Amino acid sequence: AQSVTQLGSHVSVSEGALVLLRCNYSSSVPPYLFWYVQYPNQGLQLLLKYTSAATLVKGINGFEAEFKKSETSFHLTKPSAHMSDAAEYFCAVSDLWGGSQGNLIFGKGTKLSVKP
Amino acid sequence: KAGVTQTPRYLIKTRGQQVTLSCSPISGHRSVSWYQQTPGQGLQFLFEYFSETQRNKGNFPGRFSGRQFSNSRSEMNVSTLELGDSALYLCASSFDSSLPNQPQHFGDGTRLSIL
């Protein structure tokens, strides 16, 4: 069975500092991996996705993630945090080989705080 | 292009009642998935529909059901509501989730509170 583990339920950084949000996955088949962001009282917005085309994936708002098969990781980074990045971030995995990407398995989420 | 629309945004019910939530996908999208989000359990998959057929189902009791109409709009129903059903219910759509590179687009959810 597939699973996702996000290390750290809360991460706090200063404005302008590096953002690193950790995600490890477990999958018996090549995974499709996603990062979503959720602002208060809103749904999920797709930041970026890994679908085996390239190991370094660039997303919106300056975020990127690197797929490392040997470490089963898909960590999210941003070189310089902005106040507007404060939100909750979710890593998710899906198994297209199971027939559908419509069943996403999410991590527990990481709340990012940005200090001025 | 309008996004995924969920109605209503907020709902208050009492134990034992039933509720129906609605989701209108992005125009042209035929796959609709439903998720439950709670502080304790996080985001959990409920079910997925494609062309009016349930394609996948999560591990939820039979009180949770759904359907999809010919225009791809979807509804989910929860009967005999329990306090633990209080959650944010999210709907997501994609063109066809069986195709590669088809990310899901989420609505803003329906916040259901059970008294």
Side-chain angles (χ1 to χ4, degrees):
Chain A
Q2 294 177 308
S3 66
V4 172
T5 302
Q6 291 183 241
L7 297 175
S9 58
H10 288 86
V11 169
S12 182
V13 300
S14 297
E15 193 173 17
L18 171 72
V19 176
L20 171 60
L21 304 182
R22 300 178 187 273
C23 172
N24 288 88
Y25 70 91
S26 171
S27 177
S28 58
V29 296
Y32 284 75
L33 294 160
F34 307 84
W35 275 100
Y36 283 88
V37 61
Q38 186 176 35
Y39 298 97
N41 297 316
Q42 292 186 23
L44 302 174
Q45 181 183 7
L46 179 68
L47 279 176
L48 49 79
K49 61 183 186 289
Y50 167 75
T51 55
S52 77
T55 57
L56 183 61
V57 182
K58 294 189 183 298
I60 63 172
N61 302 338
F63 285 94
E64 63 181 37
E66 186 172 8
F67 173 72
K68 291 188 177 180
K69 185 178 178 180
S70 61
E71 299 177 9
T72 61
S73 68
F74 190 57
H75 302 331
L76 182 70
T77 60
K78 182 174 181 178
S80 177
H82 295 165
M83 297 296 292
S84 59
D85 294 327
E88 190 159 19
Y89 293 79
F90 293 91
C91 182
V93 64
S94 75
D95 172 17
L96 179 63
W97 309 110
S100 167
Q101 292 181 82
N103 173 6
L104 287 174
I105 297 167
F106 286 90
K108 292 292 188 184
T110 299
K111 278 190 180 172
L112 175 66
S113 301
V114 182
K115 298 175 290 186
Chain B
K1 196 174 189 181
V4 178
T5 304
Q6 292 188 246
T7 56
R9 284 296 311 277
Y10 302 92
L11 207 47
I12 299 175
K13 292 285 187 180
T14 57
R15 281 182 297 173
Q17 287 186 309
Q18 76 162 17
V19 67
T20 300
L21 311 181
S22 179
C23 171
S24 293
I26 290 172
S27 179
H29 284 190
R30 295 187 295 165
S31 292
V32 174
S33 296
W34 288 89
Y35 295 85
Q36 182 195 64
Q37 185 177 24
T38 60
Q41 299 299 317
L43 281 152
Q44 293 184 285
F45 170 74
L46 280 157
F47 28 64
E48 179 200 1
Y49 287 86
F50 177 78
S51 292
E52 302 179 67
T53 301
Q54 189 177 86
R55 183 181 262 171
N56 279 306
K57 189 177 189 308
N59 189 25
F60 277 81
R63 301 185 296 108
F64 291 82
S65 63
R67 59 177 175 170
Q68 186 180 33
F69 302 95
S70 58
N71 62 357
S72 294
R73 189 177 71 85
S74 177
E75 289 181 347
M76 67 163 281
N77 185 75
V78 188
S79 62
T80 320
L81 287 164
E82 300 177 359
L83 292 177
D85 298 333
S86 293
L88 180 67
Y89 290 88
L90 292 165
C91 168
S93 76
S94 62
F95 174 70
D96 179 352
S97 60
S98 69
L99 300 175
N101 215 13
Q102 293 288 314
Q104 294 185 58
H105 300 267
F106 283 79
D108 285 338
T110 293
R111 172 83 53 192
L112 175 63
S113 300
I114 312 300
L115 303 179

